[in-house]
Amino acid sequence: MLVIKVGGSEGIDYEVVCDDLAMLVRAGRRMVLVHGGSFRTNEVATALGHPPHFVTSPSGYTSRYTDRATLKIFEMVYCGEMNKGLVESLQQRDVNAIGLSGIDGRLWEGPRKQAIRAVANGRTRIIRDNLTGKVERVNTALLNALLDGGYLPVLTPPAISYDGEAINVDGDRAAAATAVALRATDLLILSNVPGVLRDFPDEASLIPDIAAADIDHVTQTNTAGRMRIKLLGAGEALAGGVARVVLGDARGDRPLQRALAGEGTVLRP
Amino acid sequence: MLVIKVGGSEGIDYEVVCDDLAMLVRAGRRMVLVHGGSFRTNEVATALGHPPHFVTSPSGYTSRYTDRATLKIFEMVYCGEMNKGLVESLQQRDVNAIGLSGIDGRLWEGPRKQAIRAVANGRTRIIRDNLTGKVERVNTALLNALLDGGYLPVLTPPAISYDGEAINVDGDRAAAATAVALRATDLLILSNVPGVLRDFPDEASLIPDIAAADIDHVTQTNTAGRMRIKLLGAGEALAGGVARVVLGDARGDRPLQRALAGEGTVLRP
């Protein structure tokens, strides 16, 4: 079992990703795809007059401030344009993809954060209308039924809270929770960088291997915002029994096969 | 088996629709919901600087001109905002809804129209870049598996062409095809009018019953654009074995139960 997360950042050619995915499907790999949509959400939100706003937690993690209006735009892009675009691209390659969000069939369930602390200009504020949370439960019965039926599940945030509210969750950590729940051997988290960089954005400073025990140390010294949360997700996956996480590059030819071959930053327990 | 289509027109309170749907689910009805999103698509398309454009066929049916940019906006609204909004509302009522478009798992498959003829100002034009078509095949194996698993399928256009392209299809006719494929006894098609009106928009001129043999005659004398295609869908459902179609009102309290009780225009073979 293989879980693949392809990030929603700029510069990713999803047609190339789908070509590679179709090859793996034809080779008989049992897989789930998780995708993001952050870059396009920023564009659409700005075009609709509700520009994006990000908050940084005291521990240094950055996330999208998600009020109700933002959540609707988020769903338009993640569940509409991005998810159906990927499903269509895969269908054109004879992959019988099914796109689902975490609220469909309570696929990704977890607690909503009642309040978050956000740091700006050295001051900490409490934000209460933020529709965010994290995935604690994965509907593996639904995913396994779809996989057994020959479908490729294509999953996207939002998730659903225990109270039935749509909540924005981090896609990397949702992919990690999915990998753990499905007892995946491998989790690939691909974005628009080659992996974890010692000196971001110097791509020559790629760290090829990280042991689980060293993740905290690397996170503390790696200040590039998005990679911190990917490392957090990677650590959660390894702690939950996934044998290997690869933080790889979604750009260029055959990005999935290159990550499977160990290109990028490989993390092991 | 019951298939319910709730239109995407203005003035429908989807929270009320979901209340009623939840009651029917608790009463043990086996159901599929199909929804539209036309009104919101017009609003979002206009806000994004790509305002809607409609074409009228020589036989008098009006449809959305769907180029690639329109299709993306269409997917944002139908598959994103509308579908996930309904799924969330149903989940909050303890209905385990799963939202799918017709491209997911090739749920709604059919031919893309290679060219359409459009009439404007008395002249006929040929349009070739229109991504539209119709549903000929329904993935009943997927729908029945979800229904057997206790899920409520919540379905929305687009459909998928035999070549794997997303195509805009009429939601009423897609609901009719779904009702036929699932051997539904009843199909409810609800919108923001009380049913078929002899003198649109005079709601007192409601036609309470139409026999299948009279649909063509009513269609020819009923010039209100959207009702023509609903009648076409109703006729297709009856011809395919559905015992009763009700064209009813989605507005007001308990709209589904009122339509099931025969309120609206009832069509029988």
Side-chain angles (χ1 to χ4, degrees), chain B residues 43-126:
Chain B
E43 289 187 331
V44 172
T46 301
L48 290 174
H50 194 76
H53 179 55
F54 291 88
V55 292
T56 303
S57 73
S59 46
Y61 293 101
T62 298
S63 65
R64 182 184 300 277
Y65 167 64
T66 311
D67 59 2
R68 193 71 202 175
T70 301
L71 184 81
K72 279 188 156 193
I73 296 166
F74 182 99
E75 289 182 340
M76 279 188 192
V77 176
Y78 279 72
C79 310
E81 181 184 312
M82 298 288 300
N83 190 266
K84 297 319 164 200
L86 279 165
V87 169
E88 182 184 3
S89 292
L90 289 164
Q91 289 286 358
Q92 286 176 357
R93 289 159 176 82
D94 288 327
V95 175
N96 206 353
I98 287 193
L100 294 170
S101 79
I103 65 173
D104 295 296
R106 307 189 84 83
L107 191 67
W108 285 338
E109 208 174 9
R112 175 184 166 190
K113 288 180 193 141
Q114 286 312 307
I116 62 162
R117 287 185 298 156
V119 182
N121 304 321
R123 289 174 48 214
T124 301
R125 287 186 306 138
I126 304 289

Side-chain angles (χ1 to χ4, degrees), chain B residues 84-174:
Chain B
K84 297 319 164 200
L86 279 165
V87 169
E88 182 184 3
S89 292
L90 289 164
Q91 289 286 358
Q92 286 176 357
R93 289 159 176 82
D94 288 327
V95 175
N96 206 353
I98 287 193
L100 294 170
S101 79
I103 65 173
D104 295 296
R106 307 189 84 83
L107 191 67
W108 285 338
E109 208 174 9
R112 175 184 166 190
K113 288 180 193 141
Q114 286 312 307
I116 62 162
R117 287 185 298 156
V119 182
N121 304 321
R123 289 174 48 214
T124 301
R125 287 186 306 138
I126 304 289
I127 299 180
R128 293 189 193 281
D129 63 345
N130 202 23
L131 293 163
T132 61
K134 70 168 177 176
V135 177
E136 283 182 346
R137 275 157 50 168
V138 176
N139 186 345
T140 54
L142 176 57
L143 289 177
N144 280 317
L146 293 175
L147 288 163
D148 292 344
Y151 299 103
L152 173 73
V154 179
L155 311 184
T156 182
I160 189 163
S161 76
Y162 291 124
D163 295 330
E165 290 167 305
I167 47 175
N168 183 0
V169 295
D170 177 67
D172 298 316
R173 294 179 73 192

Side-chain angles (χ1 to χ4, degrees), chain A residues 176-220:
Chain A
T178 306
V180 169
L182 291 173
R183 301 173 196 273
T185 52
D186 295 87
L187 167 65
L188 311 181
I189 300 180
L190 307 185
S191 65
N192 61 350
V193 289
V196 183
L197 305 177
R198 202 173 302 277
D199 304 304
F200 182 84
D202 175 12
E203 300 198 354
S205 70
L206 177 74
I207 304 173
D209 297 282
I210 302 174
D214 297 331
I215 290 178
D216 279 354
H217 175 69
V218 173
T219 303
Q220 279 155 25

